[in-house]
Amino acid sequence: MPRRNIEDRDDPRHLDRRQWLSALGLAGAVTLAGCSGNGGDGGDGSDGSDGNSSDGGSGSDELSQEEIYATAAASSFSTLNPIYNDENGAGNAIARALDLGYTFDEENEYVPLLYDMSTEDGEVWTFEVREGLEFSDPYGEVTASDFVYLIQEVHQSSWASSVASASWDGVTVEETGEYEFQATLNTPQLLWPESYDPQLYPIPQGLLEPYVEEEDTEGLRQDEELLELQFSGNLGPYVLDEWQRDGGTRYSRNDDYYLQDADDLPDVFDEAPYFEEAEIRVIGEQASRLGALETGEVDTAAIPPNQVEAYQNNDEIYVNQIPQPYNEKISVNMRDNGWTTGPGNMFRHVPFRQAMASAIDKEGLIQGVFRDFAETHFTWQPRFSNFYPPEEDIPQFGVGDSYGSEVARGLAEDAFEMSEYDYRFDGETMVGPDGNQVQLSLYHSAGQNTEQLMADFIAQELGENLGIDVSVEAIDGTRFNNEYWTQTDFPTPETNEEGEVTNVPEELVDTVNGEEVEWTQPAATNPGPRNVTSNESWDMEVVFGLNTYPRNPLANSVFFEGANPLYNPVGYYPGFDAEQLFQNARQATSQEELADALIELFANLAEEQPYIMLTFPDSTVGYREGLEGPIENFSNGWNLPAWRYGE
């Protein structure tokens, strides 16, 4: 298969994105590296399950530990449906049994898996589907028509609301051969693969057709073949044998894995995968996860920063420090069910969010909680990104002269003047219109010790420097996602037979920066204006970290392109013309121009603090001694099917 034909593909500036957060990247803030195909590392979320069972399932009693690849996760999965999953941890579970279209290796080079991509001009892209791909019976061979049908009838439909819908908006797709199709973009994008927009799972057309004909969204979400990955054929290194809804997943080796016959990958793939079985074990308690790693019940587990040194001296375990793009930040709820302390949501005022950022000692957080395995986070990129702006171009809240009670209270008072309600300081205490102290809640994932320490640190800092009474509350990650973070019961626009919007309900209209904005494509992660809310009220959370997409920062449009991007659970309305800045970046004709165009965007995001940016933790991941394959690189896990124990 030909490689991508891009004139400047050897330029060291590379860009990244995955539509399902991991969102698209919804993800645990500290990732557990070791999952291939998704463009990011595996997730280490959090869950309250005890998950300590070491039962390897059918046949496992006869297998040695080195014949079962087991990983420890902290939370269960809300779905394994590839069309609707937007959680990083579940993406890891899916990837054991079902590859995505492509990945990037340790040199950040494009690696075709299910298909290769090429272009002459960045506008018309040719997809060449690898031959020999097979679905499970009765669906037969994977061809171009399966991908084209998925795009046109699901991702581009008005009814399905798939997580990849925004990726294919405005893209014209045409089948041009049995194993070839073309995608034409509205605007040329030389780095479209790095955006992860063209990432596709293979889904049988025959499986989708009944739901497409009936426009049955709920049926498609709950289809057992999709939820159990029963159609996966030879398309992943393992076959999913069991998904315990409140537990983990178990797999057996896929003897027919298609990459065994690939002649465009390293020879180590010829016998992949190297384990007879695989498991993802949900172990809610951190101590239990680490105990499982120590005893060899699992082969890899995230190591909390405060215990890295101890494991570095353990002969049975080695620890990799892996830079990653998921941030630690405080999400503040700017929707109508946020700021539960009283009237007038102060989170909506930029100076107040700046005050919060200034009240939290980033360097103290890194030293005290992350044991220096993290970097300060000022704007929506990690420093290893080739698009990180010059430090002098962005404000640096939370360090030096921009940290402390004096600067934080000054910014808060600026915000008070913007509010129609009487918020003020009474001595050292911030009080509301009723004269009582401002009281806010901060959620973190149950079972995540590092997250709890971080939440406690934040609560203390906001108390000391802003006089806010913050209550720290642990919650199951899946429950928070379903009841607090997202909303599936939201108003929808009226459409005609062609799928064109004919009427937008009043609830989906708001005035933003003096202009009327309509939510014509509400989604669970942005169900409408601020008046459309999740089922449960909440103030702040550190349950989820978000991807900053350092390979392709343009992918951050899903968060910040105006008031109604695909992913906006917090109800952030940019106070600057974010849409125009993204458009300027898209129209850049070289990577250098693109980098220049993004500086203004990142400067504005640093100024507005749509999320209160704190740190970029490294992934500190422990592996059993002798496991070959992991790398200390952002692309760690790209070759997971070839991981193995040495001779």
Side-chain angles (χ1 to χ4, degrees):
M1 285 185 169
R3 297 300 296 259
R4 290 185 300 142
N5 180 18
I6 294 181
E7 182 178 355
D8 57 356
R9 67 187 294 268
D10 291 328
D11 191 292
R13 294 179 182 269
H14 285 275
L15 305 170
D16 161 352
R17 186 230 193 174
R18 179 58 206 117
Q19 179 62 33
W20 44 264
L21 281 184
S22 132
L24 272 40
L26 186 75
V30 181
T31 61
L32 168 60
C35 187
S36 65
N38 65 4
D41 300 328
D44 182 33
S46 183
D47 178 77
S49 307
D50 59 19
N52 289 317
S53 171
S54 60
D55 180 8
S58 175
S60 295
D61 291 341
E62 290 80 40
L63 297 176
S64 68
Q65 286 183 331
E66 292 190 353
E67 292 178 293
I68 305 172
Y69 179 68
T71 62
S75 66
S76 56
F77 320 125
S78 59
T79 185
L80 293 185
N81 187 327
I83 296 174
Y84 290 104
N85 173 57
D86 63 0
E87 297 176 356
N88 196 54
N92 300 333
I94 294 170
R96 297 289 193 272
L98 191 68
D99 281 350
L100 279 160
Y102 57 90
T103 188
F104 291 91
D105 65 15
E106 67 273 15
E107 302 298 329
N108 276 333
E109 290 293 332
Y110 176 97
V111 177
L113 297 175
L114 303 176
Y115 48 77
D116 203 353
M117 298 174 62
S118 61
T119 187
E120 295 293 337
D121 55 8
E123 180 179 8
V124 179
W125 287 84
T126 299
F127 291 67
E128 294 186 60
V129 180
R130 190 186 295 270
E131 296 185 36
L133 304 178
E134 295 285 343
F135 292 119
S136 303
D137 290 337
Y139 298 112
E141 186 179 18
V142 181
T143 64
S145 64
D146 292 293
F147 290 110
V148 172
Y149 190 87
L150 173 67
I151 296 166
Q152 294 179 339
E153 302 299 333
V154 177
H155 295 327
Q156 293 182 332
S157 74
S158 61
W159 61 272
S161 300
S162 74
V163 297
S165 60
S167 295
W168 296 96
D169 186 27
V171 180
T172 301
V173 180
E174 177 186 8
E175 185 177 343
T176 52
E178 185 176 8
Y179 302 103
E180 181 182 290
F181 63 99
Q182 288 186 340
T184 303
L185 311 183
N186 286 334
T187 303
Q189 296 185 49
L190 291 177
L191 295 169
W192 195 39
E194 285 86 349
S195 75
Y196 279 85
D197 277 341
Q199 277 282 30
L200 290 166
Y201 285 109
I203 310 290
Q205 179 175 334
L207 190 160
L208 296 173
E209 285 173 340
Y211 301 109
V212 171
E213 291 171 2
E214 298 295 327
E215 296 190 355
D216 182 2
T217 308
E218 190 59 24
L220 187 61
R221 284 183 181 274
Q222 301 303 326
D223 181 271
E224 283 297 314
E225 287 187 86
L226 291 171
L227 288 171
E228 301 282 352
L229 305 176
Q230 295 171 9
F231 60 90
S232 59
N234 71 348
L235 305 175
Y238 298 95
V239 176
L240 178 64
D241 294 326
E242 182 182 11
W243 171 30
Q244 298 175 346
R245 297 305 195 267
D246 294 325
T249 48
R250 299 197 308 209
Y251 313 80
S252 55
R253 184 178 189 272
N254 192 339
D255 295 330
D256 299 321
Y257 185 39
Y258 72 100
L259 285 183
Q260 295 171 355
D261 300 321
D263 58 7
D264 53 350
L265 289 174
D267 292 344
V268 70
F269 282 89
D270 293 349
E271 298 179 40
Y274 287 82
F275 298 93
E276 292 301 316
E277 295 185 1
E279 295 182 51
I280 297 177
R281 298 182 183 174
V282 176
I283 305 176
E285 293 300 321
Q286 179 176 278
S288 298
R289 293 195 296 273
L290 295 177
L293 177 64
E294 292 167 7
T295 60
E297 292 178 60
V298 300
D299 299 274
T300 177
I303 305 293
N306 63 348
Q307 298 190 45
V308 168
E309 184 175 355
Y311 283 97
Q312 287 174 332
N313 298 322
N314 188 316
D315 293 338
E316 301 297 321
I317 295 167
Y318 66 95
V319 181
N320 281 358
Q321 183 176 343
I322 304 163
Q324 50 83 41
Y326 296 100
N327 57 13
E328 291 285 12
K329 83 284 174 292
I330 308 171
S331 300
V332 293
N333 187 2
M334 291 171 256
R335 294 184 178 271
D336 286 358
N337 66 342
W339 192 259
T340 59
T341 191
N345 191 328
M346 295 302 300
F347 293 141
R348 296 176 181 176
H349 301 300
V350 170
F352 193 84
R353 299 196 299 270
Q354 293 175 340
M356 293 180 65
S358 299
I360 300 168
D361 180 3
K362 288 182 170 66
E363 293 173 341
L365 176 65
I366 290 170
Q367 293 167 4
V369 174
F370 295 98
R371 303 301 176 97
D372 289 326
F373 294 107
E375 287 194 338
T376 48
H377 177 18
F378 300 119
T379 192
W380 209 256
Q381 287 286 275
R383 282 181 175 78
F384 67 78
S385 165
N386 288 302
F387 298 92
Y388 191 83
E391 298 280 1
E392 61 270 18
D393 289 347
I394 54 176
Q396 300 188 1
F397 300 114
V399 301
D401 295 337
S402 293
Y403 164 69
S405 176
E406 183 177 353
V407 62
R409 289 170 186 263
L411 288 165
E413 288 172 343
D414 291 341
F416 297 160
E417 294 180 4
M418 302 170 69
S419 175
E420 61 181 297
Y421 298 96
D422 184 23
Y423 286 92
R424 62 194 184 280
F425 286 107
D426 183 1
E428 299 297 311
T429 302
M430 183 185 297
V431 298
D434 58 5
N436 295 324
Q437 184 176 19
V438 169
Q439 295 181 324
L440 301 172
S441 60
L442 173 62
Y443 286 98
H444 71 87
S445 291
Q448 277 279 44
N449 291 355
T450 300
E451 249 184 40
Q452 181 175 351
L453 289 172
M454 178 175 64
D456 289 340
F457 184 94
I458 291 167
Q460 180 177 329
E461 290 284 273
L462 292 179
E464 291 182 357
N465 292 325
L466 279 177
I468 301 173
D469 180 14
V470 178
S471 61
V472 174
E473 301 182 33
I475 192 170
D476 173 84
T478 300
R479 180 184 170 216
F480 186 85
N481 180 67
N482 294 341
E483 299 180 18
Y484 295 74
W485 190 246
T486 61
Q487 172 61 280
T488 55
D489 183 17
F490 47 81
T492 56
E494 297 176 12
T495 58
N496 59 25
E497 293 181 356
E498 288 73 36
E500 300 168 333
V501 174
T502 58
N503 182 57
V504 179
E506 184 178 341
E507 305 97 301
L508 294 179
V509 181
D510 200 3
T511 300
V512 181
N513 298 328
E515 296 185 3
E516 185 177 275
V517 177
E518 296 181 337
W519 274 251
T520 58
Q521 293 181 305
T525 51
N526 188 4
R530 288 167 170 167
N531 58 280
V532 183
T533 64
S534 58
N535 293 334
E536 299 289 342
S537 299
W538 61 280
D539 295 315
M540 303 181 290
E541 67 86 21
V542 291
V543 175
F544 301 123
L546 294 178
N547 201 337
T548 56
Y549 303 117
R551 286 197 181 105
N552 184 3
L554 280 172
N556 290 299
S557 63
V558 300
F559 302 127
F560 304 124
E561 190 161 16
N564 62 347
L566 179 66
Y567 200 93
N568 191 11
V570 298
Y572 166 63
Y573 294 173
F576 61 100
D577 195 348
E579 293 175 85
Q580 185 61 55
L581 289 178
F582 275 109
Q583 188 61 25
N584 291 346
R586 291 189 187 99
Q587 293 173 349
T589 58
S590 70
Q591 294 186 33
E592 289 73 18
E593 287 183 18
L594 176 61
D596 291 340
L598 288 169
I599 288 176
E600 185 178 355
L601 172 69
F602 290 131
N604 276 283
L605 292 176
E607 189 76 26
E608 293 213 340
Q609 295 289 302
Y611 298 85
I612 313 304
M613 305 175 204
L614 299 174
T615 74
F616 279 108
D618 293 325
S619 288
T620 48
V621 183
Y623 300 98
R624 295 292 300 174
E625 188 62 42
L627 182 65
E628 298 180 2
I631 54 177
E632 290 187 296
N633 184 288
F634 176 40
S635 295
N636 183 49
W638 78 272
N639 60 343
L640 181 67
W643 286 18
R644 64 211 176 277
Y645 280 98
E647 296 295 334

